[in-house]
Amino acid sequence: MSDYHTLGEFFARKLRHGARPIGDGVTSPTDGLVREVGRLQGHLWVKGALFDLAQLVQDDRLADELSGGYVVTVYLSPRDYHRIHAPVDCAPERVWRIPGTLFPVNPASTRVIPGLLARNERVVTRFSSPLGPFAMVMVGACGVGTIRLRYAVSRGRRLKLIPGQAYRRGEEIGHFALGSTVLVLFPPSWGLEWSVEVGDHVRMGQSLAIVSME
């Protein structure tokens, strides 16, 4: 801890170079616990809580684009590495912040607070990639209102995209201050074959799925 000025800096510390090998296909953007993995419909179950996809992303066009596709949800506990990395080669196209509460996002909270992930503050990004578009939702949590992105700057409560940003699979794109949840959402054309299941603890860069375009 002596090398860090705040607890947030400690939790958001970087890995040493080469500490995480980068797998094939879609790789995990973070360390954490897989809370949901599978297909997307208009509604999505996350650990027993039902929420609406359009409400989650606050964009009807994006919700339509993703409906029938795929989702993986990774929960970061305080013990996990807190930086977020690109799951595939990609470039951010749009980013927006959705204000909300900052309830804890641990398993106990998601069981008792209906639709919690669609009520908490979150940042949504639509990315382009050689495989097609996809989206990431970074959900804030208790004491974790700050989500830092390498490809955007804050303008009050709004986010402004930095032009010309692109990332290779496994490159860092942002971080949380303490612990939270990341959802990665793919359209149905990706034809993902998952190699993980609910309850698995994954590490950043670990392969989550192989793409077989539908």
Side-chain angles (χ1 to χ4, degrees):
M1 280 291 293
S2 59
D3 294 333
Y4 305 95
H5 296 98
T6 66
L7 188 62
E9 285 185 10
F10 172 74
F11 281 109
R13 64 195 182 276
K14 293 187 176 183
L15 291 172
R16 68 180 185 279
H17 181 70
R20 295 286 193 278
I22 306 302
D24 297 323
V26 175
T27 59
S28 181
T30 66
D31 288 7
L33 179 70
V34 176
R35 297 283 299 281
E36 198 74 12
V37 62
R39 298 300 296 257
L40 266 173
Q41 302 302 327
H43 293 78
L44 180 65
W45 286 94
V46 179
K47 272 297 182 185
L50 184 69
F51 64 87
D52 181 81
L53 178 58
Q55 181 188 9
L56 178 76
V57 300
Q58 298 282 294
D59 185 295
D60 290 342
R61 185 176 61 178
L62 179 60
D64 287 344
E65 184 176 50
L66 296 170
S67 185
Y70 303 84
V71 60
V72 60
T73 301
V74 182
Y75 163 67
L76 293 76
S77 73
R79 70 177 182 174
D80 291 312
Y81 169 65
H82 279 52
R83 290 184 179 258
I84 306 164
H85 296 248
V88 295
D89 295 354
C90 61
E93 287 191 332
R94 289 191 294 132
V95 60
W96 58 100
R97 189 196 310 273
I98 301 169
T101 58
L102 286 173
F103 289 120
V105 293
N106 55 53
S109 297
T110 54
R111 282 195 298 269
V112 300
I113 303 173
L116 184 152
L117 295 185
R119 295 171 62 182
N120 267 19
E121 179 177 318
R122 55 208 181 275
V123 171
V124 182
T125 308
R126 185 188 187 275
F127 291 90
S128 62
S129 84
L131 301 170
F134 71 97
M136 291 183 72
V137 182
M138 304 173 191
V139 185
C142 183
V144 197
T146 300
I147 300 171
R148 300 291 188 189
L149 301 174
R150 286 178 169 255
Y151 52 83
V153 294
S154 294
R155 292 288 185 265
R157 297 297 297 166
R158 303 187 66 180
L159 291 169
K160 180 177 175 56
L161 200 66
I162 300 171
Q165 300 298 297
Y167 301 90
R168 303 286 293 178
R169 180 174 53 207
E171 287 188 329
E172 184 187 330
I173 61 174
H175 71 267
F176 289 113
L178 181 55
S180 196
T181 294
V182 176
L183 296 89
V184 193
L185 310 155
F186 306 91
S189 60
W190 283 53
L192 297 182
E193 298 177 9
W194 297 105
S195 55
V196 295
E197 58 186 32
V198 173
D200 287 351
H201 194 278
V202 295
R203 305 184 86 189
M204 188 281 292
Q206 177 180 335
S207 180
L208 301 179
I210 299 301
V211 181
S212 55
M213 304 298 288
E214 294 185 352

